[in-house]
Amino acid sequence: MRKGAWAGLLLLLLALDGGRAGDGGRESPAEFDRLYAGAVGRAAEQLYAFNYSALPGQVDAIRVNVKSDSEDLQYPVLFVVRQQKGVLSWQVPLVFRGLYQRSYNYAEVSRTLCPSEPTAENRPSEQILYVDVASMAPYNAHYVLQVTRIKNFQLGTNNAFTFSASPSQPQYFLYHFPPDVDSVIVKVRSEMVYPCSVVSIQDTVCPVYDLDHNVEFNGVYQSMTKQAAITVQKKDFQGKQFFVVFVIKPEDYACGGSMPSSIKGKANHTWNLQRMKTLEVTIVPSVKGSVYVHAILFSFLSFFSFYLGALLVAFVQYCRIYRTTSTRGHSPDDGSGTVAASHPIATSTPEGSSYGAIDESGSSGGQQLSSLDRRPPCDLDTDSSVEEESDFDTMPEIESDKNVIRTKMFLYLSDLSRKDRRIVSKKYKIYFWNIITIAVFYALPVIQLVITYQTVVNVTGNQDICYYNFLCAHPLGVLSAFNNILSNVGHFLLGFLFLLIVLRRDILHRRSLETKDIYTMDYGIPKHFGLFYAMGIALMMEGVLSACYHVCPNYSNFQFDTSFMYMIAGLCMLKLYQTRHPDINASAYSAYASFAVVICLAVLGVVFGKSSVWFWVLFSVIHVVASLGLSTQIYYMGRFKIDVSDPDTGIFRRAMMVLYTDCIQQCSRPMYMDRMVLLVVGNLVNWSFAIFGLVYRPKDFASYLLGIFICNLLLYLAFYVIMKLRSSERLLPLPLFCIVATAVVWAAALYFFFQNLSSWEETPAESREKNRPCLLLGFFDDHDVWHFLSAAALFFSFLVLLTLDDDLDSVRRDKIPVF
């Protein structure tokens, strides 16, 4: 040997049997020390040779346990194990590196040697291994060496197996696929949250990477606190078998833990921490291919049933209209939007409509109103240059007339639908074309990014990148969780169905314009379908982007799943407001710019909202100011202007004037009582949200912001329905059914939404503590059910907005109140 002769050579020919597996079967300390230990001098080496019998057709694994009393890191005791097909080495004390260059040293190490391959011979085969022990210490270093055969090295299917491991004593076991099993789920559980551990699936090749610094070099792995689950497919392993490796990390930072209080403030070197963890591993077969087929059929057939329902409703409506028109002809009240004639608005305005406003029957103001009612016949939509979209009014007197009309105490739809229908219709179609442009430019980089994420997961094997529900994650091809992607098909199919329904209504409306009287447009709610088309596209894109998000859900791409939800909520509020304010609704450019600001705030909230007080103060101020500004515009019908000609006093002068006229002169009663009630309640709700966020600072800022949008939408919808009933309007059976269906389905959907199965706000290991088994068909989990139900709920919500005012198709616009 180098630098000296052998201190001693002890050849042990041992036929090791299963009776000495694990820690049971050890000799007494004195006998163990006599047989396996020796003193090693400077530059000396000691060699042990072991010969053991491998039973035919059985995989044998040997475990080597060493312990040393030396704490000298300059002169560790080195152990080298040589086998037929590999070499394994380590030192004692074994050093692990942690955060901030902290070291963790262990004087006892236990390693499993690469197992022997089973032989086809009918007799036991002899195998030899050598254990070489050496040290460069100038003094004697004492150690204890034990070699045992592992009992229960091969794991069975559906059999739970319990064992213990520590940072210096990792464990791994072998699993062989049964002939009739193509995919399995490796489930690991522990009653202990910490110490943090790593579960790895590796191919049956040597060496096995079973230490903290190399476990991530090969195979598929997950960090773990209380549970982990990895789906393994037979096609990924040529030998139809794999190793399940368990490594305990020296620190808990990777799993969200903190430094143990027992070592804080102590020296950089920490010795022999008690980080033993008991684990239970169970391997169960995954779902078969037939379950995939059933799940796909279930998903598509469930939503195609909505298509059948829509066809049935359309057929019933066609029969009803055909029967009505054939028996009564075209009459103003036949329910199809057909009217006979129009009357001047001024003659039908009820008494009191001019209360608190300029007199409409006299003076030039009244003459202007009367002249505006004598509109020229409106032709069908064409592409002539005179019909290009414009945000400006096309009637010459409209600027002077706006202030007259919008200051009336009682407004009617005829007061706010005075613009050329073609111009307004083209204005709202910009919503549709803009959202298509946004969707294309948004979706393409999203798809590219998630493909990259999925490729990284598949190549590196790091399953901590994506936050799946691993207990119910069914892979297909390169996709790790196909079920989460498939469940989003409802958003796309129902969004497309809604587009078809809107297209049908649009076509029928165009046909009615071709055949009916030119004054037909003076009846019912103005038919502008641009926002409806935009809502349908938004619902389809929500399905596409939610599916993209669930390819690899994590902290970096959360906005994929929520961006179009904000847009859907905003578009619904805009549509509800546009119904009775068609001339003064927001333009597409300002609306989408506002949505962009909201999405920026959502990103900032996720990045800074967890610990930064300044962000919550800033967001609360923006929230309150935006609520007040929007309320002012709604209350004054868009006619509230700030005098910026005098920047020093103009704003304050305008504010004082408003306070004087509305709060002092008319303190007993606001001029627009209904609007005031809505805005007061709305501001109280929004201020409550702002205070709640500032005080509690919720972790999931994206859901918090979405909750603000949904609450405002529900509040406005409730106000609209209440005011509709107060105005003696009625709900037809179809919108009434849609309202009930929306409420029921949303309640069920939100129940499953709050069943959190993962959370990217936490570490991957903490997120997996929330994982749960499949709920539906053995294929879909709670979040997939949320996808199904939320798609149906959004579809019914859209139908409510589409059909809510069908009862007004035969009512003159000068009799339809604005609220």
Side-chain angles (χ1 to χ4, degrees):
M1 305 299 296
R2 294 174 301 173
K3 299 183 181 181
W6 289 99
L9 175 62
L10 180 60
L11 178 62
L12 302 175
L13 301 177
L14 301 175
L16 301 176
D17 55 20
R20 299 179 55 198
D23 292 334
R26 287 187 181 181
E27 294 84 356
S28 64
E31 183 181 4
F32 182 80
D33 190 57
R34 178 175 58 81
L35 290 177
Y36 299 103
V40 181
R42 181 178 182 181
E45 241 179 270
Q46 190 143 347
L47 177 69
Y48 299 94
F50 298 90
N51 186 318
Y52 64 96
S53 300
L55 299 178
Q58 179 178 330
V59 178
D60 282 301
I62 303 299
R63 191 165 180 82
V64 178
N65 181 279
V66 295
K67 183 185 298 185
S68 174
D69 59 1
S70 174
E71 295 186 357
D72 192 343
L73 298 178
Q74 297 297 322
Y75 299 102
V77 181
L78 306 178
F79 295 84
V80 180
V81 180
R82 288 177 288 150
Q83 296 177 263
Q84 182 177 347
K85 292 186 177 181
V87 177
L88 182 66
S89 63
W90 66 89
Q91 69 179 49
V92 178
L94 184 62
V95 181
F96 294 98
R97 300 293 179 185
L99 220 58
Y100 310 116
Q101 300 301 317
R102 183 173 293 275
S103 298
Y104 301 89
N105 310 308
Y106 291 85
E108 182 176 3
V109 180
S110 181
R111 303 287 298 278
T112 300
L113 307 183
C114 200
S116 62
E117 297 181 1
T119 61
E121 303 176 3
N122 294 326
R123 58 183 179 82
S125 61
E126 299 292 328
Q127 304 208 23
I128 299 177
L129 64 90
Y130 298 91
V131 181
D132 197 355
V133 186
S135 176
M136 299 292 289
Y139 49 82
N140 291 340
H142 296 275
Y143 61 88
V144 176
L145 169 66
Q146 181 187 19
V147 180
T148 57
R149 188 197 303 270
I150 296 180
K151 191 176 182 179
N152 299 323
F153 178 70
Q154 189 164 346
L155 300 174
T157 306
N158 294 317
N159 293 328
F161 179 68
T162 305
F163 60 95
S164 298
S166 71
S168 64
Q169 301 179 57
Q171 299 269 14
Y172 66 86
F173 303 95
L174 176 70
Y175 178 79
H176 187 85
F177 281 97
D180 58 340
V181 176
D182 295 324
S183 178
V184 296
I185 302 178
V186 180
K187 299 180 180 180
V188 186
R189 298 185 61 85
S190 176
E191 297 297 329
M192 308 166 61
V193 177
Y194 299 112
C196 177
S197 56
V198 175
V199 181
S200 174
I201 304 297
Q202 301 180 20
D203 201 359
T204 53
V205 294
C206 296
V208 179
Y209 298 96
D210 60 348
L211 291 177
D212 175 60
H213 66 273
N214 63 16
V215 68
E216 300 175 358
F217 290 174
N218 189 26
V220 179
Y221 61 91
Q222 294 179 3
S223 59
M224 170 188 164
T225 52
K226 298 186 69 173
Q227 74 174 1
I230 301 178
T231 300
V232 187
Q233 301 184 73
K234 183 190 291 186
K235 65 180 180 62
D236 295 332
F237 300 94
Q238 293 183 353
K240 301 180 181 180
Q241 58 186 4
F242 57 85
F243 290 136
V244 188
V245 183
F246 304 91
V247 174
I248 308 300
K249 299 186 75 68
E251 292 179 338
D252 296 327
Y253 286 108
C255 295
S258 59
M259 184 183 301
S261 57
S262 59
I263 66 174
K264 289 182 180 179
K266 294 187 177 181
N268 192 47
H269 301 297
T270 304
W271 290 87
N272 294 325
L273 289 175
Q274 297 299 317
R275 293 183 61 82
M276 188 69 66
K277 187 168 188 174
T278 301
L279 301 161
E280 179 186 86
V281 56
T282 308
I283 301 180
V284 298
S286 185
V287 298
K288 298 183 179 296
S290 59
V291 179
Y292 281 77
V293 177
H294 295 159
I296 294 173
L297 291 176
F298 171 81
S299 301
F300 281 91
L301 293 178
S302 297
F303 293 107
F304 278 134
S305 63
F306 284 82
Y307 283 74
L308 295 177
L311 288 175
L312 179 61
V313 171
F315 179 75
V316 171
Q317 287 184 338
Y318 173 79
C319 294
R320 180 178 60 84
I321 294 174
Y322 178 79
R323 184 172 57 252
T324 303
T325 55
S326 62
T327 57
R328 300 172 56 188
H330 298 295
S331 60
D333 58 349
D334 64 357
S336 61
T338 306
V339 293
S342 174
H343 303 283
I345 297 174
T347 61
S348 61
T349 304
E351 296 181 6
S353 62
S354 59
Y355 175 77
I358 299 175
D359 184 17
E360 296 177 357
S361 59
S363 74
S364 60
Q367 295 174 1
Q368 287 180 351
L369 294 181
S370 300
S371 63
L372 292 176
D373 291 326
R374 294 188 291 269
R375 309 177 205 171
C378 294
D379 300 328
L380 301 177
D381 292 338
T382 64
D383 294 328
S384 61
S385 59
V386 298
E387 297 168 11
E388 292 181 358
E389 191 277 333
S390 173
D391 288 335
F392 299 99
D393 296 308
T394 56
M395 290 182 288
E397 306 92 345
I398 196 68
E399 284 301 328
S400 60
D401 188 52
K402 281 180 180 178
N403 293 324
V404 175
I405 289 185
R406 297 182 199 174
T407 53
K408 293 168 55 180
M409 176 171 291
F410 299 102
L411 283 175
Y412 291 88
L413 188 57
S414 56
D415 299 327
L416 297 179
S417 59
R418 307 174 65 83
K419 295 183 181 179
D420 191 317
R421 182 190 59 82
R422 297 167 299 173
I423 300 297
V424 178
S425 181
K426 283 185 174 293
K427 172 184 177 180
Y428 289 120
K429 284 181 180 178
I430 296 180
Y431 277 95
F432 171 67
W433 293 113
N434 279 8
I435 200 170
I436 289 180
T437 305
I438 293 170
V440 171
F441 280 91
Y442 195 97
L444 288 179
V446 166
I447 294 172
Q448 181 181 5
L449 180 62
V450 297
I451 289 175
T452 303
Y453 269 121
Q454 186 67 74
T455 302
V456 170
V457 172
N458 295 339
V459 171
T460 64
N462 182 7
Q463 295 198 351
D464 283 355
I465 297 176
C466 305
Y467 287 73
Y468 304 117
N469 174 21
F470 288 92
L471 288 175
C472 187
H474 303 293
L476 181 66
V478 298
L479 300 174
S480 299
F482 174 70
N483 55 300
N484 293 152
I485 299 172
L486 176 63
S487 59
N488 283 285
V489 70
H491 294 89
F492 190 87
L493 293 179
L494 294 184
F496 185 71
L497 175 60
F498 184 74
L499 288 178
L500 294 179
I501 295 174
V502 174
L503 179 61
R504 172 183 174 271
R505 287 208 166 204
D506 196 0
I507 293 174
L508 292 177
H509 178 61
R510 289 173 180 270
R511 288 178 180 175
S512 68
L513 294 178
E514 295 175 356
T515 58
K516 306 259 173 122
D517 189 272
I518 60 175
Y519 295 104
T520 298
M521 289 172 293
D522 289 331
Y523 285 77
I525 300 295
K527 302 295 190 296
H528 303 301
F529 298 97
L531 271 169
F532 283 127
Y533 284 123
M535 290 160 56
I537 295 296
L539 182 55
M540 295 174 66
M541 288 307 303
E542 171 60 25
V544 172
L545 293 177
S546 179
C548 290
Y549 166 74
H550 284 284
V551 170
C552 182
N554 57 43
Y555 171 85
S556 302
N557 58 14
F558 72 94
Q559 68 272 20
F560 300 166
D561 194 32
T562 55
S563 297
F564 272 81
M565 287 297 294
Y566 302 140
M567 296 182 71
I568 288 174
L571 289 173
C572 288
M573 284 189 281
L574 285 172
K575 182 58 193 176
L576 202 56
Y577 186 78
Q578 178 234 13
T579 302
R580 307 211 181 206
H581 309 78
D583 287 356
I584 63 173
N585 204 18
S587 68
Y589 307 113
S590 58
Y592 288 128
S594 302
F595 297 153
V597 172
V598 170
I599 294 173
C600 289
L601 287 175
V603 174
L604 293 175
V606 172
V607 176
F608 300 107
K610 291 184 178 180
S611 57
S612 301
V613 178
W614 65 265
F615 168 79
W616 285 101
V617 173
L618 177 63
F619 176 77
S620 299
V621 171
I622 293 175
H623 189 185
V624 171
V625 171
S627 300
L628 290 174
L630 185 61
S631 300
T632 303
Q633 291 298 317
I634 292 175
Y635 185 74
Y636 289 101
M637 293 289 184
R639 303 309 300 160
F640 184 85
K641 301 294 182 182
I642 299 296
D643 183 9
V644 296
S645 60
D646 186 0
D648 295 330
T649 61
I651 296 177
F652 298 103
R653 186 187 305 116
R654 174 63 171 157
M656 292 300 296
M657 185 180 301
V658 170
L659 289 175
Y660 176 75
T661 56
D662 287 6
C663 298
I664 297 178
Q665 283 188 337
Q666 303 182 47
C667 186
S668 59
R669 177 184 175 88
M671 181 177 291
Y672 315 115
M673 176 59 72
D674 293 333
R675 270 180 275 167
M676 178 60 71
V677 172
L678 168 66
L679 296 175
V680 168
V681 175
N683 276 275
L684 289 177
V685 170
N686 282 277
W687 295 352
S688 300
F689 268 107
I691 295 173
F692 174 83
L694 190 60
V695 174
Y696 293 98
R697 285 176 281 176
K699 292 183 178 180
D700 190 353
F701 181 82
S703 297
Y704 165 77
L705 187 59
L706 185 59
I708 294 175
F709 270 82
I710 293 176
C711 282
N712 280 275
L713 174 59
L714 293 177
L715 178 64
Y716 189 28
L717 180 61
F719 168 81
Y720 190 94
V721 173
I722 292 173
M723 291 302 299
K724 183 178 177 67
L725 297 177
R726 276 189 59 194
S727 302
S728 300
E729 299 176 10
R730 58 196 179 94
L731 294 176
L732 297 180
L734 182 58
L736 184 60
F737 167 79
C738 292
I739 290 174
V740 174
T742 299
V744 173
V745 179
W746 267 123
L750 290 175
Y751 170 79
F752 289 101
F753 174 77
F754 290 111
Q755 305 299 313
N756 293 326
L757 305 179
S758 61
S759 176
W760 48 259
E761 295 92 354
E762 301 172 342
T763 65
E766 291 173 329
S767 173
R768 272 186 281 274
E769 293 180 17
K770 303 177 180 180
N771 290 177
R772 280 189 279 180
C774 299
L775 178 69
L776 180 63
L777 300 178
F779 193 84
F780 297 111
D781 60 20
D782 298 71
H783 197 73
D784 295 323
V785 177
W786 148 254
H787 286 161
F788 289 136
L789 294 178
S790 63
L794 286 171
F795 177 72
F796 282 124
S797 301
F798 290 1
L799 290 182
V800 170
L801 299 181
L802 183 64
T803 63
L804 188 58
D805 290 312
D806 283 354
D807 59 306
L808 303 178
D809 284 348
S810 58
V811 179
R812 288 178 54 87
R813 291 180 187 172
D814 56 5
K815 295 183 181 295
I816 300 177
V818 172
F819 39 81

